[in-house]
C-alpha cells in the first residue's frame, strides 16, 4: 500500500493542530458521514450530494489508500470498507498518518465525540483542551439559582478552566456577529443581562452584553482567546463575521497582554492577515478554510501569506466528527505549503533556509509559543 | 479558416446559457459597439477606449477568426469586416460557434434586440424566456387606473408569465440594494406603496416594499428566481450588491421549494459560493464575470469552485447586444473550465471521471434540472 | 556584481512613481529600519521580527546585491554594510537601480525626509510635489486667529499649492473613514466646524465636515485628487476604507472634470478596479500593495487587471523612509508585470503588441496624461 500523504518526511516538525474537535466514537451511517463534509446543517439540494464538494473530493483523494483502497474510489465502497474496519481502526489509521503531534481540542460541540486525550491517543500525539465560552456559560447557568450566583459561578468556572485549558474560544460571530461594542460591560449591565436571560428560560446565549462579558473574562486570564471569524454553518451571517469588524475590540485589548487568534477567516482571510500585520497580539488561523477548498488550498494559503507576518499564522484542521477531516486538513496543508514555498524558493523570491524556517513556524513553532506548549511533545 | 474556439469537441454537452439577453438586430456604429464592451453607461475617459479592457481584448482574440480575420486584429478592421458581412451573417457565424444548445433570455432590457426564439435560431439552439420582474411591473402599471387594479393585474401577469417563462429575475440590487427586509410585505403595505408610486407618476420602480412584493410573488410561483448580485453598471452601489446581504431573505425562503440563483456575484463570488454551500435552494452563476475578466476567468472560476458545491454552479454568458459576447462568454468558460479541471486532474486532486462529470454539471446538467428543461434539446 | 533587478532593459519606459514619500536623510538604527518595513506603528510581537514579512524578504532579495552582498543575506549583515556605505551612497545606489524617471512625492509625512527634488536627484529623475490636504490645513490653522481667517488662508494655500503641486491627496480614510456625505458642506457648516476645531485646540483634524471641505476645495482646482483607500496603519478601520464606500462621492464629482485616483486599494482592489471601469474620472493605483505582497504581487496585479481598464491603472511604490522600498516597489512591479503579461501573451490571450502597449500605460503613460507631466523627462 502506497500512502500518498505528504507526511513526516517533508521536513516539517510534528504539526500542532491548534484548533480541532473530537471525532465520532461510533460508526456513522452514510447520511451522517456525508453531513460532516459540509458546514451546512441542512439536507443537500435535490439531485446533489455533499460528496460533490471540494471536501468530499479531498476525502476521496486522501483517505481510501489508508484503508487499502484506490484514491477516488466511490463513496459507497469507501464507506463499506470503513464499516468493515470499524471506527477505532479507521481512526487509528487516519489520525496516525497525519503527522500531528499536538491536538488542541475545542470540547464545546455536542455529540458522542472523543475527548482531547482520546483523540490524541489515536494519533499518537498529546491532547490539550480549549474551552468554548458560550458552552461553559450555558452549562454553568444550569446549576445556579440567580444572576448573582451565576456571575460568581462563571468567574470560578473560567478561572478553573484557565488552569487546565490552553485557550478559550468565543463564537460571538454566530451568536451576534462581530460588530460588538468593544468595551467590557459594567457589572450592572452584566447583572441585568443575566437576569433577563435566566427569566427567558436560559435559551441559547445570544445577548451581546453577555458575549462581551465572556470575552473580557477570558482575556483577563491571559490565556489566548480564539475567535470564530468568517464562514461557518447557515446560522451565521457571513458579512457579520468579517474579522475587520473586530478592529475596535482589538484596539481595546491591545494592552492586556492576551493574544487573540482569528479562526478560519475565509473569505475575509486577507482582512485577518492585515490585522495580524498591524496589531502585535493578533494571530490568524488557516484551519477549516484549507480543508474546504481542496486543490485551491494552495492559492488561499498564499493569500494569507500576503500580509500575515510569518510568525503570526497558525495551522489547524478544525476537524470535527470524522477522522477523515484530520487527514484531509493535514494533507492539504502540507501540499499547499510545499507548493507555495517551493514556488517562491524556485523563483528566487525566498531562500530555501527561510522557507524551511517559515514552514516550521506555521506548522508548529508559533503555536507552541502562543499557547505555551512544551518545545516538543514527549513520545506518545 | 481555423476556428480557435474550444468547441463542441471538448467533451462538454451543448451548453445551457441560463442567463443572457438578445442581440442588436441592426449593425451598431463603432461607438455603440464599444459601449457594449463595458457595463458603464458613460463615455470612456479621455485618452482611453473600451477596447482596452479584458472584454475588448477577448473579443479581439476570439471573434476575428470567425469573420476570416487574424486574432487580435485592430478594432477598425474588425468592425469594417463586420459591416461587410452584415448583422445576420455575423450573428449566425458567432452564435453558431458557441456550442450553446439552450438560451434562457432575459427579455427585460430595452433596445431593438432579438427575442429568445430569434436569438436561439441564429445559434441553432432552443430559446426560453426569463421575465424581469421590475420591467413586468412597470409595463403592467401603464394600463391600470388604481392601486387595486394594479395589484390584480400584476398577480395575473406573474401567473401568466410563470406558465411560459422558465424563470423570473429581480434587479432589486440596482433599484435599492440587497439589504431588503426579508419578509413579504402585507397587502396593506403593498397597497400604500403602489398608490404612492402611481401618485409619483410611475417613475422607475425603486420602492423596497414593491421590490420585495415582486420577489415574493415570483417565489410563490415555484419558478426559479434569478437575483442580480455583484457588479453591474454605475447605477449600482457595489457594496450594496454583496449577496451576503441576502442571507435573511435566503433563510426566509428556505421552506418555499423555490430555488434562488445568484447572478454574476463578482467580486463577492466567494460569498455567493458560501451561500450555495450552506443553503440547499441557493445556486450561483459565473456569467458576466468570466466575460469581463479575460485570461483571469480561470482564476475566478477556481475561486467559485472553492466553496460552491459542484451541482450548484451554472454557466451563462450574460451576453447583451453583441453576438461577440456570446462567443467570448462561451470560449472563456470552456477555456477556464478546461484549465481548472485539467490542472486538478493532472495533480491527482481530482479523478478524470469526476472532472468530466462536474464539467457537464456546470455547463448544462444543473441548469436543466433547476429550470426543468428537457434532458437534451430537439435538433434545431 | 550582478544586479538581479529587472531594469531599464525590460522594454518599459522610465517609470512614473505617481505616489511616494521622501527617504530618511540619516542612517536609521536597526529598530527604526525594521519599523519602516511594516505599516504598523507598534512593536513586533514577542518572538517575531518585521523582517519576517513579505516586505522584509523582498528587501533581502533585491537590495543586498546593490550593496555588493548576496541576495537573502541576514539583516544584520545587510545593515552593517549599509552603515559602512552611508545614507547618501546607499540612496544613490538603490534609487539609481529603480529605473524611475519621475517621482511624485507626497510631502505631508513627518520626519527628516528628502524632499521631491532631493529624492529625485538621488535617482537621477525629476521630482514633483503632491500636497496632503489634512497636513496643509493643520499647518494653515497654526498661523490664524479665527475661523474666517482660516477659511481664507486655506483657500489661498490650496490655490497656491495647485500652481506648484501636480496633485492633492486626502487621508479621510484614516481620519474618518470613506463613508462620507458626498456633497460639499455649506459655508455655514464649514465655519461652525472650523470654530469647533479651533476651540478644541486644533487637535488632529478628523471632523468629517472639514475633511469633505478639503476634498471639494481640492477638486475645484482641477488637479487630480489622490484618495487613500484600503490598508494602512492600525489607525485605520479596514472596512471603513473600502473604496466602494466612495461611490456616492464619485457620482457627485463626475461632472467636475477632476480625476480621482484611488490609492493602494488592497484588499478591496477589485472594488477599486470596478469603480475605474464604470466611472470615467476614476483611476486605481497598485502602490504599497505590490510592495507588501512579495511574490504574490503577480497575482494581486492580475486581480487589479480583471476589471480595471488598462488605461486606468497606475504604478507607484508608496516608498517611505527607506530607499530600499523604492527598489522593492519597482522590482516587484516589473517582475509582476512581466509575469502577468508574459503569461497572457504566451497563452494567446493577448498579442505581444498589446502587452507592450499596456505595460507602458501602467508604468508611465497614463500617469503622464493624468498629472499633465511632460511626455518624457529632460535628462537629469
Amino acid at each position: 500500500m502506497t500512502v500518498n500523504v505528504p507526511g513526516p518526511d517533508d521536513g516539517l516538525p510534528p504539526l500542532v493542530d491548534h484548533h480541532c474537535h473530537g471525532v465520532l466514537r461510533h460508526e456513522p451511517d452514510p447520511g451522517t458521514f456525508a453531513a460532516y463534509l459540509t458546514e451546512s446543517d441542512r439536507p443537500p439540494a435535490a439531485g446533489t450530494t455533499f460528496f460533490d464538494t471540494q471536501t468530499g473530493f479531498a476525502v476521496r483523494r486522501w483517505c481510501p489508500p489508508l484503508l487499502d483502497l484506490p484514491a477516488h474510489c466511490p463513496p459507497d465502497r469507501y464507506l463499506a470498507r470503513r464499516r468493515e474496519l470499524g471506527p477505532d481502526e479507521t481512526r487509528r489509521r487516519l489520525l496516525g498518518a497525519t503527522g500531528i503531534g499536538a491536538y488542541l481540542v475545542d470540547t464545546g460541540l455536542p455529540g458522542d465525540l472523543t475527548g482531547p486525550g482520546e483523540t490524541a491517543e489515536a494519533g499518537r500525539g498529546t491532547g490539550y483542551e480549549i474551552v468554548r465560552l458560550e458552552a461553559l456559560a450555558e452549562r454553568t447557568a444550569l446549576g445556579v439559582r440567580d444572576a448573582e450566583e451565576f456571575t460568581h459561578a462563571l468567574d470560578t468556572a473560567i478561572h478553573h478552566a484557565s488552569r487546565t485549558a490552553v485557550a478559550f474560544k468565543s463564537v460571538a460571530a454566530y451568536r451576534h456577529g462581530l460588530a460588538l461594542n468593544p468595551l467590557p460591560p459594567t457589572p450592572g449591565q452584566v447583572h441585568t443581562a443575566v437576569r433577563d436571560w435566566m427569566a427567558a428560560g436560559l435559551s441559547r446565549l445570544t445577548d451581546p452584553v453577555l458575549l462581551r462579558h465572556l470575552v473580557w473574562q477570558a482575556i483577563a486570564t491571559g490565556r489566548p482567546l480564539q475567535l470564530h471569524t468568517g464562514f461557518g454553518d447557515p446560522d451565521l451571517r457571513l458579512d457579520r463575521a468579517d474579522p475587520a469588524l473586530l478592529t475596535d475590540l482589538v484596539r481595546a485589548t491591545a494592552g492586556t497582554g492576551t493574544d487573540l487568534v482569528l479562526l478560519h477567516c475565509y473569505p475575509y482571510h486577507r482582512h485577518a492577515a492585515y490585522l495580524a500585520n498591524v496589531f502585535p497580539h493578533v494571530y490568524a488561523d488557516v484551519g477549516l478554510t484549507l480543508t474546504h477548498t481542496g486543490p485551491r488550498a494552495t492559492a488561499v494559503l498564499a493569500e494569507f501569506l500576503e500580509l500575515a507576518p510569518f510568525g503570526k499564522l497558525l495551522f489547524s484542521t478544525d476537524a470535527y466528527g470524522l477522522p477523515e477531516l484530520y487527514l484531509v486538513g493535514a494533507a492539504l496543508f502540507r501540499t499547499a505549503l510545499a507548493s507555495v514555498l517551493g514556488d517562491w524558493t524556485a523563483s528566487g523570491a525566498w531562500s530555501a533556509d527561510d522557507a524551511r524556517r517559515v514552514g516550521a513556524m506555521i506548522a508548529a513553532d508559533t503555536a507552541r509559543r502562543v499557547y505555551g506548549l512544551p518545545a516538543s511533545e514527549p513520545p506518545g
Side-chain angles (χ1 to χ4, degrees), chain A residues 111-129:
Chain A
D112 182 24
L113 302 172
T114 56
E118 205 177 352
T119 308
E121 192 187 358
R124 297 188 301 277
T126 309
Y128 299 93
E129 186 177 10

Side-chain angles (χ1 to χ4, degrees), chain A residues 77-97:
Chain A
R77 198 169 151 207
Y78 178 77
L79 293 175
R81 174 62 179 155
R82 202 185 191 282
R83 275 192 302 278
E84 203 174 276
L85 291 171
D88 293 352
E89 174 65 9
T90 300
R91 191 193 317 156
R92 199 192 56 74
R93 289 193 182 198
L94 294 172
L95 266 61

Side-chain angles (χ1 to χ4, degrees), chain A residues 166-258:
Chain A
V166 290
F168 289 98
K169 175 182 177 184
S170 161
V171 292
Y174 277 107
R175 302 300 179 94
H176 176 78
L178 296 178
L180 291 166
N181 177 326
L183 299 179
T186 64
Q189 290 170 328
V190 173
H191 186 84
T192 305
V194 173
R195 213 183 44 206
D196 292 352
W197 179 45
M198 297 182 93
L202 293 177
S203 53
R204 198 157 165 270
L205 197 165
T206 58
D207 185 321
V209 168
L210 296 183
L211 296 170
R212 284 160 54 209
H213 179 61
L214 291 172
V215 161
W216 280 98
Q217 292 295 96
I219 284 172
T221 68
R223 289 279 178 204
L225 176 62
Q226 301 184 340
L227 292 143
H228 180 105
T229 72
F231 82 121
D233 72 48
D235 198 21
L236 169 147
R237 262 282 296 245
L238 188 62
D239 52 330
R240 294 184 188 149
D242 179 348
L245 297 172
L246 287 171
T247 308
D248 294 337
L249 183 69
V250 165
R251 283 186 191 135
T253 58
T256 61
T258 298

Side-chain angles (χ1 to χ4, degrees), chain A residues 21-201:
Chain A
H21 306 273
V23 299
L24 296 168
R25 288 207 180 90
H26 301 293
E27 186 69 19
D29 62 64
T32 303
F33 185 96
Y36 277 100
L37 298 176
T38 173
E39 287 290 294
S40 186
D41 54 8
R42 305 182 178 208
T48 74
T49 148
F50 291 135
F51 275 100
D52 282 348
T53 58
Q54 294 290 10
T55 320
F57 278 27
V59 164
R60 286 176 48 225
R61 173 196 197 178
W62 298 108
C63 302
L66 288 160
L67 309 196
D68 318 312
L69 293 169
H72 302 296
C73 80
D76 287 354
R77 198 169 151 207
Y78 178 77
L79 293 175
R81 174 62 179 155
R82 202 185 191 282
R83 275 192 302 278
E84 203 174 276
L85 291 171
D88 293 352
E89 174 65 9
T90 300
R91 191 193 317 156
R92 199 192 56 74
R93 289 193 182 198
L94 294 172
L95 266 61
T98 60
I100 295 172
Y103 294 78
L104 280 58
V105 178
D106 166 8
T107 52
L109 282 176
D112 182 24
L113 302 172
T114 56
E118 205 177 352
T119 308
E121 192 187 358
R124 297 188 301 277
T126 309
Y128 299 93
E129 186 177 10
I130 294 163
V131 170
R132 189 184 282 230
L133 290 166
E134 293 80 5
L136 183 68
E138 285 163 355
R139 221 159 48 230
T140 301
L142 295 178
V144 299
R145 278 163 311 180
D146 59 27
E148 199 165 338
E149 198 181 328
F150 170 78
T151 311
H152 290 146
L154 181 68
D155 284 357
T156 305
I158 288 179
H159 178 71
H160 179 77
S162 75
R163 289 187 305 179
T164 54
V166 290
F168 289 98
K169 175 182 177 184
S170 161
V171 292
Y174 277 107
R175 302 300 179 94
H176 176 78
L178 296 178
L180 291 166
N181 177 326
L183 299 179
T186 64
Q189 290 170 328
V190 173
H191 186 84
T192 305
V194 173
R195 213 183 44 206
D196 292 352
W197 179 45
M198 297 182 93

Side-chain angles (χ1 to χ4, degrees), chain A residues 280-296:
Chain A
H281 68 308
V282 174
Y283 291 76
D285 157 65
V286 304
L288 189 65
T289 294
L290 301 193
T291 303
H292 281 266
T293 54
R296 288 289 300 169

